[in-house]
mmCIF file of all heavy atoms in Angstrom:
data_model
loop_
_atom_site.group_PDB
_atom_site.id
_atom_site.type_symbol
_atom_site.label_atom_id
_atom_site.label_comp_id
_atom_site.label_asym_id
_atom_site.label_seq_id
_atom_site.Cartn_x
_atom_site.Cartn_y
_atom_site.Cartn_z
ATOM 1 N N THR A 199 -15.215 136.183 105.603
ATOM 2 C CA THR A 199 -14.200 135.227 105.757
ATOM 3 C C THR A 199 -13.332 135.037 104.499
ATOM 4 O O THR A 199 -12.127 134.846 104.568
ATOM 5 C CB THR A 199 -14.780 133.803 106.036
ATOM 6 O OG1 THR A 199 -15.591 133.944 107.235
ATOM 7 C CG2 THR A 199 -13.806 132.752 106.279
ATOM 8 N N LEU A 200 -13.980 135.204 103.341
ATOM 9 C CA LEU A 200 -13.324 134.837 102.072
ATOM 10 C C LEU A 200 -12.687 135.983 101.380
ATOM 11 O O LEU A 200 -11.653 135.860 100.690
ATOM 12 C CB LEU A 200 -14.360 134.157 101.147
ATOM 13 C CG LEU A 200 -14.899 132.762 101.523
ATOM 14 C CD1 LEU A 200 -16.020 132.382 100.623
ATOM 15 C CD2 LEU A 200 -13.749 131.771 101.424
ATOM 16 N N ALA A 201 -13.297 137.145 101.397
ATOM 17 C CA ALA A 201 -13.056 138.219 100.440
ATOM 18 C C ALA A 201 -11.773 139.029 100.733
ATOM 19 O O ALA A 201 -11.429 139.224 101.911
ATOM 20 C CB ALA A 201 -14.176 139.228 100.374
ATOM 21 N N THR A 202 -11.102 139.454 99.693
ATOM 22 C CA THR A 202 -10.132 140.536 99.789
ATOM 23 C C THR A 202 -10.882 141.883 99.742
ATOM 24 O O THR A 202 -10.471 142.808 100.385
ATOM 25 C CB THR A 202 -9.071 140.484 98.711
ATOM 26 O OG1 THR A 202 -9.696 140.418 97.437
ATOM 27 C CG2 THR A 202 -8.161 139.302 98.856
ATOM 28 N N ARG A 203 -11.989 141.895 98.979
ATOM 29 C CA ARG A 203 -12.869 143.071 98.984
ATOM 30 C C ARG A 203 -14.297 142.545 98.789
ATOM 31 O O ARG A 203 -14.565 141.531 98.180
ATOM 32 C CB ARG A 203 -12.526 144.029 97.848
ATOM 33 C CG ARG A 203 -11.414 144.977 98.113
ATOM 34 C CD ARG A 203 -11.429 146.135 97.098
ATOM 35 N NE ARG A 203 -11.420 145.636 95.697
ATOM 36 C CZ ARG A 203 -11.932 146.324 94.688
ATOM 37 N NH1 ARG A 203 -12.487 147.550 94.901
ATOM 38 N NH2 ARG A 203 -11.862 145.805 93.446
ATOM 39 N N ILE A 204 -15.245 143.303 99.393
ATOM 40 C CA ILE A 204 -16.672 142.927 99.355
ATOM 41 C C ILE A 204 -17.384 144.099 98.688
ATOM 42 O O ILE A 204 -17.205 145.227 98.929
ATOM 43 C CB ILE A 204 -17.280 142.769 100.776
ATOM 44 C CG1 ILE A 204 -16.569 141.634 101.500
ATOM 45 C CG2 ILE A 204 -18.773 142.484 100.665
ATOM 46 C CD1 ILE A 204 -16.871 141.563 102.938
ATOM 47 N N ALA A 205 -18.287 143.716 97.684
ATOM 48 C CA ALA A 205 -19.145 144.705 97.040
ATOM 49 C C ALA A 205 -20.549 144.415 97.540
ATOM 50 O O ALA A 205 -21.097 143.337 97.265
ATOM 51 C CB ALA A 205 -19.092 144.578 95.494
ATOM 52 N N VAL A 206 -21.078 145.339 98.302
ATOM 53 C CA VAL A 206 -22.451 145.158 98.851
ATOM 54 C C VAL A 206 -23.440 145.664 97.905
ATOM 55 O O VAL A 206 -23.323 146.850 97.415
ATOM 56 C CB VAL A 206 -22.594 145.955 100.190
ATOM 57 C CG1 VAL A 206 -24.010 145.796 100.728
ATOM 58 C CG2 VAL A 206 -21.555 145.477 101.219
ATOM 59 N N MET A 207 -24.339 144.794 97.461
ATOM 60 C CA MET A 207 -25.322 145.122 96.413
ATOM 61 C C MET A 207 -26.751 145.152 96.985
ATOM 62 O O MET A 207 -27.143 144.372 97.907
ATOM 63 C CB MET A 207 -25.262 144.143 95.204
ATOM 64 C CG MET A 207 -23.976 144.232 94.442
ATOM 65 S SD MET A 207 -24.020 143.176 92.995
ATOM 66 C CE MET A 207 -25.337 143.957 92.028
ATOM 67 N N ASN A 208 -27.586 146.044 96.398
ATOM 68 C CA ASN A 208 -29.027 146.010 96.663
ATOM 69 C C ASN A 208 -29.734 146.817 95.591
ATOM 70 O O ASN A 208 -29.189 147.800 95.074
ATOM 71 C CB ASN A 208 -29.334 146.655 98.064
ATOM 72 C CG ASN A 208 -30.712 146.370 98.515
ATOM 73 O OD1 ASN A 208 -31.281 145.289 98.220
ATOM 74 N ND2 ASN A 208 -31.328 147.317 99.186
ATOM 75 N N ALA A 209 -30.891 146.247 95.160
ATOM 76 C CA ALA A 209 -31.760 146.897 94.129
ATOM 77 C C ALA A 209 -30.983 147.285 92.892
ATOM 78 O O ALA A 209 -31.163 148.361 92.324
ATOM 79 C CB ALA A 209 -32.393 148.184 94.759
ATOM 80 N N GLY A 210 -30.046 146.321 92.469
ATOM 81 C CA GLY A 210 -29.365 146.570 91.206
ATOM 82 C C GLY A 210 -28.226 147.519 91.179
ATOM 83 O O GLY A 210 -27.711 147.852 90.114
ATOM 84 N N VAL A 211 -27.765 147.983 92.361
ATOM 85 C CA VAL A 211 -26.652 148.910 92.424
ATOM 86 C C VAL A 211 -25.674 148.387 93.515
ATOM 87 O O VAL A 211 -25.977 147.636 94.407
ATOM 88 C CB VAL A 211 -27.055 150.341 92.803
ATOM 89 C CG1 VAL A 211 -27.973 150.926 91.712
ATOM 90 C CG2 VAL A 211 -27.642 150.403 94.134
ATOM 91 N N ILE A 212 -24.377 148.819 93.381
ATOM 92 C CA ILE A 212 -23.380 148.566 94.371
ATOM 93 C C ILE A 212 -23.449 149.725 95.367
ATOM 94 O O ILE A 212 -23.159 150.843 95.025
ATOM 95 C CB ILE A 212 -21.972 148.446 93.774
ATOM 96 C CG1 ILE A 212 -21.889 147.152 92.903
ATOM 97 C CG2 ILE A 212 -20.919 148.361 94.930
ATOM 98 C CD1 ILE A 212 -20.594 147.026 92.215
ATOM 99 N N GLN A 213 -23.815 149.434 96.614
ATOM 100 C CA GLN A 213 -23.979 150.443 97.624
ATOM 101 C C GLN A 213 -22.656 150.784 98.323
ATOM 102 O O GLN A 213 -22.445 151.980 98.787
ATOM 103 C CB GLN A 213 -24.962 150.009 98.693
ATOM 104 C CG GLN A 213 -26.432 149.877 98.117
ATOM 105 C CD GLN A 213 -27.415 149.495 99.143
ATOM 106 O OE1 GLN A 213 -27.130 148.687 100.025
ATOM 107 N NE2 GLN A 213 -28.583 150.064 99.052
ATOM 108 N N GLN A 214 -21.819 149.810 98.449
ATOM 109 C CA GLN A 214 -20.503 149.999 99.190
ATOM 110 C C GLN A 214 -19.549 148.969 98.731
ATOM 111 O O GLN A 214 -19.931 147.835 98.385
ATOM 112 C CB GLN A 214 -20.783 149.899 100.692
ATOM 113 C CG GLN A 214 -19.583 150.195 101.530
ATOM 114 C CD GLN A 214 -19.840 149.946 103.031
ATOM 115 O OE1 GLN A 214 -20.811 149.347 103.399
ATOM 116 N NE2 GLN A 214 -19.017 150.529 103.912
ATOM 117 N N ILE A 215 -18.293 149.391 98.648
ATOM 118 C CA ILE A 215 -17.237 148.382 98.337
ATOM 119 C C ILE A 215 -15.947 148.663 99.164
ATOM 120 O O ILE A 215 -15.589 149.781 99.320
ATOM 121 C CB ILE A 215 -16.950 148.381 96.794
ATOM 122 C CG1 ILE A 215 -15.914 147.251 96.427
ATOM 123 C CG2 ILE A 215 -16.476 149.734 96.337
ATOM 124 C CD1 ILE A 215 -15.846 147.012 94.996
ATOM 125 N N GLY A 216 -15.385 147.582 99.698
ATOM 126 C CA GLY A 216 -14.188 147.783 100.508
ATOM 127 C C GLY A 216 -13.702 146.424 101.023
ATOM 128 O O GLY A 216 -14.307 145.395 100.784
ATOM 129 N N THR A 217 -12.613 146.501 101.768
ATOM 130 C CA THR A 217 -12.074 145.246 102.378
ATOM 131 C C THR A 217 -12.971 144.853 103.550
ATOM 132 O O THR A 217 -13.775 145.626 104.060
ATOM 133 C CB THR A 217 -10.693 145.528 102.936
ATOM 134 O OG1 THR A 217 -10.771 146.483 104.013
ATOM 135 C CG2 THR A 217 -9.724 146.078 101.831
ATOM 136 N N PRO A 218 -12.881 143.585 104.040
ATOM 137 C CA PRO A 218 -13.617 143.177 105.188
ATOM 138 C C PRO A 218 -13.377 144.120 106.406
ATOM 139 O O PRO A 218 -14.329 144.402 107.163
ATOM 140 C CB PRO A 218 -13.154 141.822 105.483
ATOM 141 C CG PRO A 218 -12.798 141.243 104.099
ATOM 142 C CD PRO A 218 -12.149 142.455 103.404
#
Side-chain angles (χ1 to χ4, degrees):
T199 304
L200 292 171
T202 53
R203 279 196 306 154
I204 300 168
V206 180
M207 293 187 65
N208 196 32
V211 300
I212 294 175
Q213 295 183 321
Q214 184 181 20
I215 185 164
T217 67

